[in-house]
Amino acid sequence: MSVATQDTALRTGRVSRAFIYLFLLLMALFYLLPFGIMVINSLKPLSEITGGNMMSLPQVWTLDAWRSTWSTAQIGVEPTGMRPYFWNSIKMVVPAVAISTVLGALNGYVLTKWRFRGDTILFGLMLFSCFIPFQIVLIPMARVLGLTGLAGSTTGLILVHVVYGIGFSTLYFRNYYAVFPTELVRAAMMDGAGFFRIFWRILMPSSGPITVVCIIWQFTNIWNDFLFGASFADFDSQPITVALNNLVNSSTGVKEYNVHFAGAIYAALPTLLVYIVAGRYFVRGLMSGSVKG
Amino acid sequence: MASAPAQADLRTRLQNFIPKLVLAPSVAVIFLFVYGFIIFTLYLSFTDSRILPSYNLVGFENYSKLFRLSHWTTSITNLAIFASLYIGISTLIGLALATFLDQKIRGEGLLRPIYLYPMALSFIVTGTAWKWLLDPGIGLEHTMHLWGWESFQFGWIKNSDYAIYTVVLAAVWQSSGFVMAMFLAGLRGIDNEILKAAQMDGASNFQMYRRIILPQLRPAFLSAFVILSHLAVKSYDLVIALTGGGPGRATELPATFMYSYTFTRNQMGIGASSAVIMLMTIAAIMVPYLYAELREKK
């Protein structure tokens, strides 16, 4: 009679339940393994990787690779370490996320509470911009950035990320505000409240969750971007993903695997931290980008 | 008294104007940087642009050249292999994980984030991790040899016939957890009463899946397909980090082709035409999907 108490579960025997647990655990191992190996091997001296087993724990635990990756590793031509690139990413990601989120909130508000003829088509056009292959805009974007003097600058990258981030941020706020009671907005209008007052006083106070979702999504996307960084950035604006790729793929001579792994962890850490702290919102962001497109 | 309604009228008209004014910058930016740029690239694809844009029209020459290039045909063949395996395997794994996780599993709260965390990583990070893990010299093969399995061979990443499958492996690792999350949300949305009723009527597990659960997951299947296929066409970073398009050209995809023809080989016209093909591929999938989604909402 166990069926009656498990409302979602199907009838499963002991053997199939064991199989299910085994499968789920093996898959967990599959997902954990690559990152686990990176962590373990970033804590080894290089000789233990080249002369030893990647799957075994370090005999000598050391933070040397972490230290040299951060401040002295050769990236491109300069032995600067990942540090300047980490800051480049921060300088790019913070304004880009802030601007695209604010614009997305305002757009979502207009598109749901101040509807006008053709607003759905406009939204559709904005939404499609999220999915274009960015190769289609690379050439003209390079021209525009060159002509405006923004090529190779952090400002240029911020512009690019805001432009191609608006679609998603608008999507989030539009879907969220669509189910927000319009009567409240109407009532406030009757009382003479204006456009911004209604937004500030009525919608903003309950926009917390979706703002978090939007910020997390934009942060993850922009931090992880490689294509725009590789195409439009200079030495003093290259984001960390480009630096990581240079570190791993253009190193001549001895391949310092432990340094590569430490570099990859530096590049992964911010988004991973966000995921650990606010994973719930991250999942929600992924879902509203798809299921309820 | 007469001025009051007129004032009110002005106020409402102003009020009606503000929303459009607020939306205007975003719309302008999208029209210029997305649709204007698409038209510009489309135009360039019909010109003899080389290192710099040229406005000299040459008709469909770039397109006919493009499809005669073995580099391009390799890229689209690779994309076909990569996309179908990536979408198929991710969907299967995602569905299996979601189905099993939905069986009142102890520790679900711990397992779910483990399956999903790769989605938070950059493809460059994923590529780096798998690049060395699959490297026969230091990675899995080497480990197996040290563990005494001397004959074990796993050198796919260095083999031009198999390297594309390592890209599939890394990409599946990155996104199958996401597919799991979509299916799990779908499964949790199914009405339990229906399942219970079917169970009372003596339906087997298989029948319940076949007749009730899978049909109800149709929207999740569709979303997963659309999301994964657009990710597949856009795949660039992962290949760059994992194989750099090699060995040889074994893992070149349209995105890497476009980049190298435009920016390193100075064949901008051909690069632009390849970008147009990529856009059309994605539009063929996304436009009907978005159209249907937005129509339903009304």
Side-chain angles (χ1 to χ4, degrees):
Chain A
M1 280 318 287
S2 67
V3 176
T5 55
Q6 300 183 347
D7 21 341
T8 50
L10 299 167
R11 272 174 292 206
T12 41
R14 209 171 263 195
V15 178
S16 48
R17 266 195 105 62
F19 169 78
I20 287 172
Y21 273 99
L22 187 69
F23 177 81
L24 290 175
L25 286 175
L26 282 177
M27 287 309 286
L29 198 64
F30 167 67
Y31 289 107
L32 285 174
L33 195 68
F35 203 80
I37 282 181
M38 287 212 298
V39 174
I40 290 171
N41 287 282
S42 71
L43 296 168
K44 285 179 192 172
L46 184 60
S47 58
E48 268 191 55
I49 303 178
T50 46
N53 188 341
M54 211 182 223
M55 305 276 180
S56 61
L57 289 174
Q59 281 154 352
V60 184
W61 295 77
T62 167
L63 279 172
D64 282 353
W66 282 70
R67 252 178 252 126
S68 70
T69 309
W70 183 245
S71 49
T72 59
Q74 180 99 10
I75 294 171
V77 286
E78 300 279 347
T80 56
M82 296 287 263
R83 184 171 44 192
Y85 302 97
F86 191 89
W87 292 120
N88 285 346
S89 273
I90 299 266
K91 277 184 276 182
M92 166 187 81
V93 86
V94 172
V97 169
I99 298 171
S100 60
T101 305
V102 169
L103 286 175
L106 288 169
N107 293 344
Y109 169 48
V110 172
L111 288 169
T112 51
K113 302 303 170 207
W114 299 83
R115 303 199 55 177
F116 53 90
R117 278 190 56 172
D119 59 357
T120 312
I121 295 171
L122 267 189
F123 176 61
L125 287 172
M126 293 178 101
L127 196 52
F128 182 66
S129 77
C130 304
F131 300 101
I132 57 167
F134 292 123
Q135 281 73 18
I136 198 81
V137 298
L138 280 186
I139 302 170
M141 191 49 118
R143 295 286 289 171
V144 166
L145 290 176
L147 290 173
T148 52
L150 292 174
S153 72
T154 301
T155 318
L157 283 182
I158 294 171
L159 172 78
V160 174
H161 284 300
V162 168
V163 167
Y164 300 108
I166 290 178
F168 266 122
S169 59
T170 302
L171 165 74
Y172 288 138
F173 283 98
R174 180 188 177 270
N175 285 356
Y176 189 75
Y177 290 152
V179 291
F180 187 90
T182 306
E183 296 74 40
L184 287 179
V185 178
R186 287 255 168 74
M189 257 188 246
M190 295 290 198
D191 291 343
F195 176 86
F196 289 106
R197 206 181 160 79
I198 296 177
F199 179 65
W200 195 248
R201 288 292 181 77
I202 299 181
L203 282 112
M204 274 304 274
S206 61
S207 300
I210 198 65
T211 309
V212 176
V213 166
C214 183
I215 288 175
I216 288 177
W217 174 262
Q218 298 288 19
F219 176 79
T220 309
N221 258 357
I222 299 174
W223 183 274
N224 287 344
D225 163 72
F226 174 75
L227 182 62
F228 289 142
S231 309
F232 304 135
D234 254 345
F235 286 117
D236 50 1
S237 59
Q238 269 170 354
I240 195 163
T241 47
V242 176
L244 173 61
N245 188 53
N246 289 342
L247 175 74
V248 176
N249 285 320
S250 58
S251 61
T252 45
V254 185
K255 284 197 163 64
E256 294 185 280
Y257 301 107
N258 50 354
V259 168
H260 298 173
F261 287 136
I265 295 170
Y266 279 125
L269 218 49
T271 51
L272 216 50
L273 273 179
V274 166
Y275 175 71
I276 291 167
V277 173
R280 200 158 51 92
Y281 292 100
F282 179 78
V283 178
R284 249 176 78 174
L286 285 176
M287 306 308 284
S288 49
S290 53
V291 176
K292 294 182 70 191
Chain B
M1 279 306 279
S3 71
Q7 228 175 16
D9 192 44
L10 187 72
R11 232 183 94 95
T12 12
R13 272 172 56 192
L14 205 68
Q15 280 292 347
N16 285 336
F17 190 60
I18 290 176
K20 284 170 194 156
L21 202 65
V22 165
L23 194 63
S26 302
V27 172
V29 154
I30 295 279
F31 272 97
L32 177 68
F33 287 88
V34 177
Y35 296 97
F37 280 10
I38 288 176
I39 292 168
F40 186 80
T41 306
L42 184 65
Y43 183 84
L44 284 185
S45 74
F46 293 110
T47 66
D48 59 359
S49 303
R50 306 281 298 219
I51 185 162
L52 287 171
S54 129
Y55 300 97
N56 194 14
L57 288 168
V58 293
F60 281 91
E61 204 176 290
N62 288 324
Y63 290 91
S64 60
K65 266 191 204 152
L66 180 67
F67 281 92
R68 282 200 306 268
L69 285 170
S70 68
H71 195 156
W72 172 252
T73 42
T74 308
S75 302
I76 50 176
T77 316
N78 281 339
L79 179 62
I81 297 170
F82 169 71
S84 47
L85 288 174
Y86 167 62
I87 297 171
I89 298 172
S90 296
T91 307
L92 273 181
I93 291 182
L95 186 61
L97 288 175
T99 309
F100 290 160
L101 267 187
D102 201 32
Q103 308 301 319
K104 296 262 151 153
I105 292 301
R106 229 168 287 150
E108 187 203 324
L110 193 69
L111 287 169
R112 228 173 347 139
I114 292 177
Y115 298 152
L116 201 59
Y117 87 92
M119 200 67 192
L121 302 179
S122 156
F123 274 118
I124 303 292
V125 172
T126 303
T128 305
W130 283 97
K131 184 190 181 76
W132 298 142
L133 187 55
L134 296 174
D135 189 276
I138 60 160
L140 213 55
E141 184 179 303
H142 183 63
T143 298
M144 289 302 172
H145 291 176
L146 288 176
W147 282 348
W149 188 354
E150 297 286 346
S151 60
F152 182 85
Q153 283 204 338
F154 196 62
W156 283 11
I157 198 163
K158 300 273 188 206
N159 180 326
S160 48
D161 290 332
Y162 291 99
I164 190 72
Y165 302 111
T166 63
V167 184
V168 174
L169 175 63
V172 166
W173 179 80
Q174 174 117 351
S175 14
S176 45
F178 165 54
V179 183
M180 176 278 299
M182 290 208 294
F183 280 124
L184 198 57
L187 285 172
R188 299 270 149 97
I190 294 176
D191 189 357
N192 277 323
E193 297 304 314
I194 302 177
L195 295 181
K196 275 191 194 149
Q199 238 164 19
M200 298 274 214
D201 289 345
S204 69
N205 283 349
F206 178 76
Q207 277 174 323
M208 295 221 300
Y209 265 101
R210 175 88 187 65
R211 296 289 167 85
I212 303 171
I213 297 177
L214 286 182
Q216 293 226 35
L217 286 179
R218 244 181 42 201
F221 271 107
L222 183 64
S223 305
F225 173 77
V226 168
I227 300 287
L228 292 174
S229 55
H230 109 273
L231 284 178
V233 178
K234 283 162 89 165
S235 288
Y236 174 76
D237 323 13
L238 182 60
V239 174
I240 294 294
L242 188 68
T243 62
R249 286 174 190 164
T251 51
E252 288 278 356
L253 290 177
T256 59
F257 173 94
M258 186 277 169
Y259 200 91
S260 65
Y261 265 72
T262 309
F263 296 111
T264 52
R265 291 171 182 239
N266 301 323
Q267 298 271 10
M268 195 177 277
I270 292 179
S273 63
S274 67
V276 170
I277 305 276
M278 288 175 67
L279 177 72
M280 289 185 348
T281 315
I282 286 188
I285 301 163
M286 291 311 298
V287 170
Y289 177 73
L290 293 180
Y291 183 74
E293 287 273 322
L294 290 174
R295 255 174 66 110
E296 265 169 36
K297 285 249 162 67
K298 275 191 176 170

